[in-house]
Amino acid sequence: MNSYQGKTFAVVTYGCQMNVHESEKIRGILSSLAMLEIDDVEKADVVVFNTCCIREGAEDRAYNNVAALKKSKAENPAKVIVICGCMPQQKQGKYDLATKLPFVDIIIGTYNINALAQYLLLYAVNKKRIIDILDKPNSNLDSEFCVRDDATNAYVNIIYGCNKFCTYCIVPYVRGREMSRTPQTIYNEVKDLVQNKGYKYITLLGQNVNSYGKDLKEKTSFSELLTYLCTIEGDFKIKFMTSHPMDLGDDLIKTMKKEPKIAKALHLPVQSGSSAILKRMNRHYDIRHYYRIIRKLKHAMPNISLSTDIIVGFPGETEKDFNLTLKLLKKVKYDQVFAFMYSRRTGTPAAEFEDQIDEKVKNIRVNKLLRLQKIIQKEQVKKYFNKTYNCLIKFINGVAVGITDGGKEIYIPNYKYVNQNYFANVKIEGVRNHKLSGVIK
Ligand code: SAH
Ligand code: SF4
Ligand code: F3S
């Protein structure tokens, strides 16, 4: 019996897949206290805001949503409000949050989320505000508890932190240096998810998965880890994110091609099509290197689905630089592009660069880029015709659908079976109104 037993909680998440997965661990921790999850942040006895500070917009949203709970906390002082994740972990973060949001009860960072239960229990006894931000991980960032959101795709962390220090990015300052989990720990987790819990996709997570294993006593490369995980028996596939173009070697392309259990989909953030900008971003590759990787990937896996991240309006980005990014989109023809306007992050080198771009210009550029990508994506649909993709078969609203590794849905109108949740080859025989239909081969 603990003082939270039977009480309700809600978790609000901002940011990347890493945070989404950490919120699953937060849910696991709160459930282990015998609490019940609800959606309503007004009603919940404990509300946890798992925050992100990658761009100003993400911070503003979290601030506003926490601030909106002021009244409900005043009406119900027993309510416990927690802020955790990347925002408090910034240099000034905890002070800013503590002063601007005085009614928040517990503020912790990215390195002590796994101790959330202890913080809550301590708070229940003392009723005193807790602000505790560690400056490095408390030895093991894994939590033994985890309640996953999705029943098909499971996130599994393989490496924490980032050593890259791209000049625009706050992540290395709030997530610390790279720290890999051992291959055995990952193997055991994946095996359990596939063989005991029925997951079909395992998505391996890290800010830069290609750096996996460099910090381990027994060095293991990312491709070696993948090969090892593919020895797990079962009908499942492995995805991973995020890959950094600088470290994506031929060994990884070879492993992806060879292993049927590795999804033929890759998120490969390029950030800009201009080598001059890439240099100022400290990305450690130029655009020729990036094109070379794309060529190799498409050569090895002609059906591969590619996606990317782009930053528009990085300091010093000229119209010419921006046009090189548009040219890149036309050449690569991504299935999906995530485009962001550059956001100045205090403490990062690029925040101090003098040639910052006007917000209006950023806005015009990002809209132009998104318009172009929309046209490219529409045209891309044609490339699917007559091709065969290995898909996960599911019933969606009673209709059989094959979902490609890249997430494209193919309707199977003449489906003769009762089974779902298995992988099969689907040949696309129809493309109409951007909708695909096909048959199982
Ligand atoms: N580790 C991954 C992604 C990290 S953050 C990688 O290296 O690619 C996800 C994306 O947010 C980045 O790829 C980048 O496009 C974007 N991003 C990061 N910092 C940003 C900033 N200051 N302003 C705008 N976008 C940013
Ligand atoms: Fe940020 Fe660069 Fe690290 Fe990605 S690789 S998390 S963009 S510093
Ligand atoms: Fe945001 Fe932190 Fe992820 S800053 S993008 S939640 S690592």
Side-chain angles (χ1 to χ4, degrees), residues 9-15 19 23 26-27 37-41 46-52 61-62 65-66 69 82-84:
F9 72 89
V11 183
V12 187
T13 312
Y14 308 85
N19 253 23
S23 286
I26 291 171
R27 273 197 204 102
E37 184 170 10
I38 58 170
D39 285 337
D40 191 340
V41 289
V46 174
V47 185
V48 182
F49 289 92
N50 190 14
T51 61
C52 167
R61 256 178 288 136
N65 292 347
V66 180
L69 283 190
V82 183
I83 299 185
C84 63

Side-chain angles (χ1 to χ4, degrees), residues 264-319:
K264 304 299 176 263
L266 188 69
H267 183 61
L268 195 60
V270 61
Q271 313 300 358
S272 168
S274 154
S275 292
I277 295 292
L278 290 172
K279 188 147 201 238
R280 293 184 55 148
M281 287 178 162
N282 195 30
R283 288 290 287 180
H284 297 284
Y285 56 86
D286 61 14
I287 204 64
R288 279 178 49 205
H289 177 77
Y290 188 86
Y291 278 129
R292 216 175 299 133
I293 299 175
I294 296 288
R295 265 201 308 276
K296 283 187 195 170
L297 284 164
K298 286 186 172 175
H299 179 73
M301 294 160 278
N303 277 357
I304 193 168
S305 168
L306 296 168
S307 59
T308 200
D309 290 345
I310 301 234
I311 295 179
V312 171
F314 184 77
E317 185 189 68
T318 61
E319 214 44 52

Side-chain angles (χ1 to χ4, degrees), residues 9-247:
F9 72 89
V11 183
V12 187
T13 312
Y14 308 85
C16 61
Q17 276 80 5
M18 217 87 63
N19 253 23
V20 171
H21 183 41
E22 259 148 38
S23 286
E24 295 177 331
K25 294 181 187 169
I26 291 171
R27 273 197 204 102
I29 292 170
L30 297 178
S31 303
S32 76
L33 291 174
M35 298 183 74
L36 306 169
E37 184 170 10
I38 58 170
D39 285 337
D40 191 340
V41 289
E42 300 282 339
K43 287 212 184 102
D45 298 309
V46 174
V47 185
V48 182
F49 289 92
N50 190 14
T51 61
C52 167
C53 56
I54 197 87
R55 284 171 289 276
E56 204 178 342
E59 291 203 273
D60 290 347
R61 256 178 288 136
Y63 259 124
N64 294 339
N65 292 347
V66 180
L69 283 190
K70 190 175 173 187
K71 193 163 155 252
S72 112
K73 170 76 180 174
E75 284 166 6
N76 173 17
K79 188 181 186 89
V80 184
I81 302 179
V82 183
I83 299 185
C84 63
C86 294
M87 267 173 89
Q89 197 69 47
Q90 294 175 94
K91 219 167 178 195
Q92 278 299 319
K94 63 178 171 187
Y95 306 112
D96 288 352
L97 291 165
T99 24
K100 286 191 196 154
L101 301 164
F103 57 93
V104 170
D105 306 295
I106 301 176
I107 302 181
I108 56 176
T110 53
Y111 300 137
N112 44 2
I113 288 175
N114 51 357
L116 180 61
Q118 284 91 306
Y119 287 110
L120 281 169
L121 294 170
L122 182 70
Y123 180 80
V125 176
N126 293 343
K127 292 281 181 305
K128 276 223 293 282
R129 189 177 210 200
I130 298 171
I131 300 178
D132 196 15
I133 312 294
L134 309 182
D135 56 12
K136 55 178 182 316
N138 58 359
S139 74
N140 181 3
L141 289 171
D142 297 347
S143 164
E144 59 181 303
F145 305 108
C146 187
V147 173
R148 287 185 158 85
D149 273 340
D150 197 291
T152 306
N153 175 37
Y155 290 130
V156 174
N157 242 117
I158 61 163
I159 177 169
Y160 298 100
C162 179
N163 292 358
K164 286 277 185 283
F165 290 95
C166 304
T167 52
Y168 51 81
C169 186
I170 194 79
V171 171
Y173 306 91
V174 294
R175 291 277 171 172
R177 296 298 68 76
E178 286 168 0
M179 208 170 93
S180 304
R181 296 173 75 204
T182 63
Q184 197 58 53
T185 323
I186 300 166
Y187 180 96
N188 294 343
E189 187 172 349
V190 174
K191 189 170 175 196
D192 176 53
L193 289 166
V194 169
Q195 298 183 351
N196 303 329
K197 307 209 165 93
Y199 280 94
K200 305 311 285 183
Y201 274 112
I202 302 294
T203 302
L204 307 176
L205 296 180
Q207 290 300 346
N208 175 11
V209 290
N210 303 123
S211 283
Y212 175 79
K214 289 184 187 158
D215 58 312
L216 290 174
K217 248 192 252 133
E218 271 180 60
K219 298 224 180 336
T220 310
S221 72
F222 180 53
S223 336
E224 284 164 347
L225 174 74
L226 285 172
T227 307
Y228 180 43
L229 296 178
C230 286
T231 62
I232 295 172
E233 272 179 43
D235 182 39
F236 74 100
K237 280 198 197 172
I238 300 175
K239 291 184 175 183
F240 48 87
M241 66 190 315
T242 305
S243 289
H244 192 297
M246 172 198 165
D247 304 320

